[in-house]
Amino acid sequence: MRLSRFAALSSSLLLAAGAALFGAGQAAAAQADFGYVALGDSYSSGVGAGNYDSGSGNCKRTTRAYPALWAAAHSPQTFSFTACSGARTGDVLANQLAPLNSGTDLVSITIGGNDAGFSDVMTTCVLQSESTCVNRVNQAKAYVDSTLPGQLDQVYNAIDSRSPGAHVVVLGYPRFYKLNGTCTTGLTEGERAAINGAADHLNAAIAKRAANHGFTFASVAGALTGHEICSGNAWLHSVNWLNIGESYHPTAAGQSGGYLPAFTNAA
């Protein structure tokens, strides 16, 4: 696992506080050179959190997303935010990597859910029978086993090639439902359990590929426990027919209270 360069630089600043002025100045200069690039899909762009930047178009990036919140709190000298709603691994490769270079210190990314058919799985489960839902979930899990690892490798190899010294944090996806919770309508408990199991399956595959590349995997499951759909205090949108794109995405509270702490602890 790569050492967090941000953590290392922060530590050097603390040590330099009691050192000679020249040493402190060097540490401050190193901190000033810190560069952060945020890649990925809608869970990184901030879909569901609102207040979207009109200049980002259909990518729906927002200052309420965890990358922008982290950058606002830590003031890296450069911050490039290319995450985009709907992105698949191929979209990251084609459209998001330009800001990466040998001077990039920190990279964050969520990717893989769209490749695995997340949107179609949820549509199937909402509109069709439990057995059809479970079958579609199993198809997605089979894709995660057979095809997604190679797609993730392509993305991770490209990041490593462009920014070999960067500390890369790969964030996971949430478990959507609190089982036996407050929901009295909608999906069956069997469907909710199958969807949660698919999220765990996807996260395990992503974590394994990240570890094999020396990247850090950051789970959001712990931070979002107690705030799933059907919890009574959800930080995730349930299905929203008036704004279907925000369904099953973190709210602003889910970004600031779930994704941000997970990323901060790993950065």
Side-chain angles (χ1 to χ4, degrees):
M1 181 181 297
R2 297 177 179 176
L3 176 66
S4 166
R5 291 180 67 179
F6 181 80
L9 289 170
S10 297
S11 297
S12 70
L13 285 176
L14 292 173
L15 291 172
L21 180 60
F22 179 72
Q26 284 185 318
Q31 177 68 13
D33 290 339
F34 195 88
Y36 168 38
V37 178
L39 312 170
D41 56 22
S42 52
Y43 285 79
S44 290
S45 71
V47 170
N51 195 37
Y52 306 116
D53 175 9
S54 60
S56 70
N58 291 333
C59 287
K60 292 189 174 180
R61 289 186 284 269
T62 173
T63 55
R64 296 174 181 173
Y66 76 86
L69 294 173
W70 190 92
H74 294 90
S75 301
Q77 184 188 39
T78 60
F79 170 48
S80 297
F81 192 9
T82 60
C84 188
S85 176
R88 300 187 180 198
T89 51
D91 298 309
V92 173
L93 291 169
N95 304 316
Q96 296 188 22
L97 302 182
L100 294 174
N101 57 56
S102 60
T104 301
D105 298 283
L106 177 65
V107 178
S108 65
I109 186 169
T110 55
I111 202 66
N114 291 318
D115 295 83
F118 154 77
S119 179
D120 185 63
V121 167
M122 298 311 301
T123 299
T124 299
C125 290
V126 168
L127 297 178
Q128 300 192 41
S129 68
E130 179 175 317
S131 61
T132 304
C133 168
V134 172
N135 285 338
R136 182 64 185 89
V137 166
N138 288 335
Q139 290 174 9
K141 290 168 69 175
Y143 184 95
V144 168
D145 291 338
S146 65
T147 306
L148 186 62
Q151 294 172 317
L152 294 174
D153 282 341
Q154 290 181 33
V155 173
Y156 299 163
N157 283 335
I159 293 171
D160 196 40
S161 176
R162 288 171 175 261
S163 301
H167 177 61
V168 182
V169 179
V170 179
L171 292 95
Y173 294 95
R175 304 182 97 225
F176 292 133
Y177 294 101
K178 177 178 174 60
L179 300 181
N180 301 308
T182 60
C183 294
T184 57
T185 60
L187 302 182
T188 67
E189 282 297 287
E191 289 171 322
R192 293 176 185 133
I195 291 167
N196 279 359
D200 292 341
H201 195 79
L202 174 60
N203 286 327
I206 293 172
K208 184 176 187 302
R209 300 319 305 158
N212 286 350
H213 287 264
F215 297 168
T216 299
F217 178 77
S219 172
V220 298
L224 288 169
T225 296
H227 298 287
E228 308 95 333
I229 300 166
C230 304
S231 67
N233 185 24
W235 288 354
L236 297 166
H237 292 282
S238 185
V239 61
N240 181 355
W241 297 112
L242 298 178
N243 192 345
I244 198 68
E246 293 196 341
S247 301
Y248 305 107
H249 284 83
T251 63
Q255 286 285 339
S256 63
Y259 269 84
L260 178 62
F263 176 56
T264 300
N265 290 337

